[in-house]
């Protein structure tokens, strides 16, 4: 009973921390409201984005990055909106707004944020490639979902940095998952906390579900389960690629999980993917990952 009370107290404190975190930029709220208008014009979207100079700058950086490989330089936000369309621009702005809001104040000690965002970008890149291989969902939208799947870790680190260092060390030393260590030492895991944050920011439910269920695919709502499974599987592939286990690689490390099992049951093409080749081909994404990490982490 005492342990339950302690965890309830910690959970309440975590919710309070989320309330104290900076809100997503006002321009993001305005943009999401505008997207609810079916008759919204692309020019109107561009005018909303232009109200935030930092977001405008990042939209142009992303539009001109190796991610899109556009043949000609995009010089204006209006041009970027016309070229990329509503879904793409929304994804870029949500990602930029989230990164902007989660950036810690100066002189605040944090865990390795560059490494964190690099993994987030890598998960987005892998998600995009998986969607292209499987020919399901919108591969660029999944990219931006992948960028934000682990935001709960940033909240937990901000809530209790010294304790979170112990969490990371415990997970490594005891060879347990990070969420197991989070629950044991803090009382809640980053996936649940990330879901809280996405809800606070009133982001589309797909973002909420990706954050909340990327470690528990079977529990995710049916309407977003495919997207959650792609992000969950991409998260795993990105970590394994980062660990560099080639050439002695056990393919069951890739397939022995509920995300792969779900995709196997819903996609007739996943069994045709040579996963070892897919992993090797990720070496070609380093430039793209480096560039996007610089954009969002700067």
């Amino acid at each position: 009973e005492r342990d339950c009370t302690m965890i309830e107290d910690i959970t309440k404190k975590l919710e309070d921390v989320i309330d104290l975190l900076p809100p997503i930029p006002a321009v993001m709220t305005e943009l999401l409201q505008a997207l609810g208008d079916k008759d919204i014009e692309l020019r109107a979207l561009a005018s909303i984005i232009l109200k935030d100079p930092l977001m405008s700058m990042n939209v142009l950086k992303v539009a001109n990055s190796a991610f899109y490989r556009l043949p000609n330089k995009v010089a204006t936000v209006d041009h970027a909106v016309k070229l990329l369309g509503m879904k793409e621009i929304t994804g870029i702005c949500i990602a930029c707004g989230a990164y902007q809001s989660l950036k810690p104040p100066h002189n605040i000690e944090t865990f390795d944020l560059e490494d964190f965002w690099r993994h987030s970008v890598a998960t987005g890149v892998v998600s995009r490639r998986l969607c292209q291989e499987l020919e399901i969902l919108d591969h660029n939208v999944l990219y931006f979902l992948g960028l934000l799947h682990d935001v709960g870790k940033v909240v937990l680190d901000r809530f209790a940095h010294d304790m979170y260092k112990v969490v990371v060390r415990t997970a490594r030393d005891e060879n347990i998952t990070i969420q197991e260590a989070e629950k044991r030492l803090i009382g809640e895991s980053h996936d649940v906390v990330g879901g809280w944050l996405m809800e606070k920011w009133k982001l589309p439910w797909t973002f909420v579900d990706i954050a909340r269920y990327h470690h528990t695919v079977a529990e995710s709502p049916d309407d977003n389960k495919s997207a959650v499974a792609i992000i969950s599987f991409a998260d795993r592939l990105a970590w394994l690629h980062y660990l560099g286990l080639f050439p002695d690689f056990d393919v069951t490390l890739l397939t022995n999980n509920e995300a792969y099992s779900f995709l196997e049951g819903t996609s007739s093409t996943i069994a045709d993917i040579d996963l070892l080749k897919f992993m090797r081909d990720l070496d070609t994404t380093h430039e793209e990952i480096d560039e996007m990490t610089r954009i969002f982490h700067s």
Side-chain angles (χ1 to χ4, degrees):
E1 184 177 333
R2 185 169 57 189
D3 289 344
C4 290
T5 302
M6 182 182 71
I7 288 176
E8 286 174 5
D9 289 345
I10 291 174
T11 300
K12 180 65 172 63
K13 287 177 183 177
L14 280 169
E15 290 171 336
D16 290 343
V17 167
I18 288 176
D19 288 337
L20 292 172
L21 283 174
I24 203 160
V27 66
M28 193 59 249
T29 302
E30 191 176 347
L31 185 63
L32 288 170
Q33 289 172 345
L35 289 170
D37 180 358
K38 294 180 181 178
D39 299 321
I40 189 74
E41 295 182 357
L42 294 179
R43 184 174 295 178
L45 291 180
S47 67
I48 293 171
I49 296 166
L50 284 166
K51 294 178 182 179
D52 187 324
L54 181 57
M55 189 171 290
S56 300
M57 178 181 68
N58 283 332
V59 164
L60 291 177
K61 284 182 179 179
V62 174
N64 287 302
S65 71
F67 177 74
Y68 285 111
R69 302 187 186 280
L70 297 175
N72 299 307
K73 184 175 176 63
V74 180
T76 66
V77 170
D78 190 59
H79 188 202
V81 171
K82 287 176 182 175
L83 273 177
L84 302 179
M86 193 176 296
K87 282 185 179 180
E88 299 285 308
I89 287 297
T90 302
I92 293 171
C93 290
I94 287 176
C96 290
Y99 279 44
Q100 191 175 327
S101 295
L102 292 169
K103 194 169 184 178
H106 291 299
N107 302 320
I108 296 294
E109 188 178 355
T110 67
F111 67 164
D112 190 338
L113 280 172
E114 183 173 357
D115 192 55
F116 169 81
W117 289 126
R118 182 176 178 80
H119 169 69
S120 300
V121 171
T123 299
V125 169
V126 177
S127 299
R128 184 182 188 220
R129 289 201 168 194
L130 279 173
C131 288
Q132 290 170 323
E133 288 275 356
L134 298 176
E135 297 180 345
I136 60 173
L137 304 174
D138 186 320
H139 57 272
N140 285 339
V141 170
L142 264 289
Y143 173 83
F144 293 109
L145 291 167
L147 287 181
L148 298 179
H149 74 287
D150 265 346
V151 291
K153 291 181 179 179
V154 179
V155 179
L156 288 173
D157 184 65
R158 186 82 61 88
F159 163 67
H161 173 67
D162 290 340
M163 178 60 76
Y164 207 68
K165 287 194 293 188
V166 179
V167 166
V168 173
R169 186 168 63 246
T170 299
R172 182 187 64 238
D173 293 348
E174 298 187 17
N175 195 28
I176 60 175
T177 66
I178 194 76
Q179 60 267 36
E180 286 180 90
E182 289 165 345
K183 285 181 180 178
R184 184 200 303 174
L185 296 169
I186 295 180
E188 198 50 271
S189 56
H190 68 272
D191 42 353
V192 173
V193 174
W196 289 344
L197 185 62
M198 299 290 99
E199 279 195 80
K200 182 203 173 184
W201 283 346
K202 295 182 171 61
L203 295 186
W205 278 103
T206 312
F207 284 86
V208 178
D209 290 343
I210 291 294
R212 182 170 288 155
Y213 299 111
H214 65 275
H215 290 300
T216 52
V217 175
E219 296 177 15
S220 62
D222 289 342
D223 56 345
N224 285 325
K225 200 182 290 285
S226 292
V228 172
I230 286 285
I231 299 298
S232 178
F233 192 43
D235 179 27
R236 188 179 188 85
L237 298 189
W239 273 120
L240 290 172
H241 183 261
Y242 172 79
L243 292 173
L245 300 179
F246 291 111
D248 300 320
F249 200 91
D250 182 357
V251 75
T252 60
L253 289 172
L254 306 179
T255 59
N256 187 22
N257 57 86
E258 62 180 27
Y260 183 86
S261 297
F262 173 80
L263 293 171
E264 192 175 33
T266 57
S267 171
S268 59
T269 56
I270 192 167
D272 297 329
I273 298 178
D274 182 340
L275 288 173
L276 294 180
K277 181 179 183 302
F278 184 90
M279 293 289 283
R280 285 193 294 272
D281 288 347
L282 291 179
D283 288 340
T284 64
T285 65
H286 290 316
E287 177 189 351
E288 182 180 331
I289 292 170
D290 287 344
E291 182 179 23
M292 293 297 277
T293 302
R294 283 195 300 272
I295 289 172
F296 286 115
H297 184 59
S298 60

